[in-house]
Amino acid sequence: MEKEKKNKYSIIVPTYNERLNIALIVYLIFKHLRDVDFEIIIVDDGSPDGTQEVVKQLQQVYGEDHILLRPRAKKLGLGTAYIHGLKHASGNFVVIMDADLSHHPKYLPSFIKKQLETGASIVTGTRYVKGGGVHGWNLMRKLTSRGANVLAQTLLWPGVSDLTGSFRLYKKSVLEDIISSVVSKGYVFQMEMIVRASRKGYHIEEVPITFVDRVFGSSKLGGSEIVEYLKGLAYLLVTT
């Protein structure tokens, strides 16, 4: 990939107890973005497992200009983590991705290439088109996720195949515009982001990805998140 002189990519990675994953995700980002100007902004919500200490060691290896640690005192939610990270982003594009290796950095060049080819305001990774998929989920989890997406597609017509995915590339100005009007928390946050972007008429493109269930640590999706999702769906149906 030719180096894009004018573009810089700020990669926001929210963390909570990701000590076992963060070094690997950082290594893989550097491996796959050799000819790209980027920074990694790690927003850690007071992890008790030593995540921040590992990030400080990574800063010694890769440099504080490439790895920015912007911690918060406690767990304050995903949406506010992105807002916090955005305040420190110096790039004109922002990538949001999970720290648990469910989003493989090998897809980042495809996101960047798709944006450069199409001029899209948003490029989102999708599990639900040819070439995409899910690895490591049991049948129940797959059905729950697929059902949630089908339900949202039917009710909201967003024009995007994967509403709850959280691996996306945004023009920074677009992310700032959308995030200011989002009220949802947790699992519903990503869905509201993409639905509001669609309603505002932003150009959205998709790239197939394979989502891999977290390698280390425990999944944060439970029954309460599913209830929140259904509440959020009803809210978006009424407000958008």
Side-chain angles (χ1 to χ4, degrees):
M1 191 189 306
E2 288 185 20
K3 186 155 186 167
E4 282 296 310
K5 299 290 191 294
K6 63 185 181 300
N7 290 333
K8 182 176 182 180
Y9 299 85
S10 299
I11 304 168
I12 300 176
V13 183
T15 58
Y16 185 76
N17 286 349
E18 298 291 358
R19 177 177 61 85
L20 296 172
N21 293 318
I22 194 63
L24 184 52
I25 196 92
V26 166
Y27 163 76
L28 289 169
I29 290 170
F30 274 87
K31 177 184 176 183
H32 291 284
L33 293 184
R34 292 185 187 277
D35 299 318
V36 175
D37 187 11
F38 70 93
E39 63 187 1
I40 304 170
I41 303 168
I42 297 167
V43 180
D44 185 73
D45 277 3
S47 296
D49 74 337
T51 297
Q52 291 184 34
E53 285 66 34
V54 174
V55 174
K56 287 171 185 172
Q57 291 175 33
L58 292 170
Q59 287 179 314
Q60 300 305 310
V61 175
Y62 294 104
E64 292 186 25
D65 56 332
H66 275 303
I67 297 180
L68 287 66
L69 175 60
R70 298 295 181 263
R72 303 189 296 176
K74 60 181 181 179
K75 217 171 174 185
L76 296 168
L78 198 58
T80 56
Y82 293 134
I83 292 169
H84 183 75
L86 199 51
K87 290 175 185 170
H88 302 282
S90 63
N92 55 324
F93 286 92
V94 175
V95 173
I96 60 171
M97 65 187 299
D98 294 346
D100 63 7
L101 301 173
S102 56
H103 299 149
H104 200 298
K106 70 182 179 183
Y107 295 113
L108 288 170
S110 300
F111 280 49
I112 292 170
K113 183 168 180 279
K114 176 70 81 171
Q115 194 286 320
L116 291 173
E117 287 173 351
T118 64
S121 297
I122 303 168
V123 177
T124 183
T126 177
R127 298 161 283 185
Y128 303 124
V129 297
K130 187 177 180 182
V134 175
H135 181 77
W137 278 4
N138 61 28
L139 182 61
M140 192 63 203
R141 183 93 190 262
K142 285 182 179 177
L143 288 173
T144 301
S145 176
R146 192 69 166 133
N149 264 280
V150 169
L151 184 61
Q153 294 285 345
T154 306
L155 296 176
L156 300 174
W157 290 95
V160 179
S161 66
D162 193 343
L163 287 169
T164 54
S166 53
F167 193 5
R168 294 176 184 158
L169 166 68
Y170 290 87
K171 286 182 178 175
K172 184 182 179 184
S173 57
V174 170
L175 180 56
E176 287 171 331
D177 177 40
I178 299 164
I179 211 165
S180 63
S181 59
V182 170
V183 299
S184 301
K185 302 285 188 287
Y187 192 55
V188 186
F189 175 81
Q190 303 295 353
M191 180 171 66
E192 183 174 352
M193 288 279 287
I194 208 75
V195 169
R196 292 207 181 278
S198 178
R199 296 291 189 268
K200 284 173 177 274
Y202 285 119
H203 178 183
I204 304 168
E205 291 284 343
E206 296 185 315
V207 168
I209 62 165
T210 296
F211 177 97
V212 179
D213 202 12
R214 64 165 37 253
V215 179
F216 297 112
S218 58
S219 176
K220 299 175 178 80
L221 176 65
S224 61
E225 282 79 13
I226 294 168
V227 172
E228 285 303 309
Y229 173 83
L230 293 172
K231 283 184 188 171
L233 191 61
Y235 166 78
L236 290 175
L237 191 58
V238 172
T239 61
T240 64

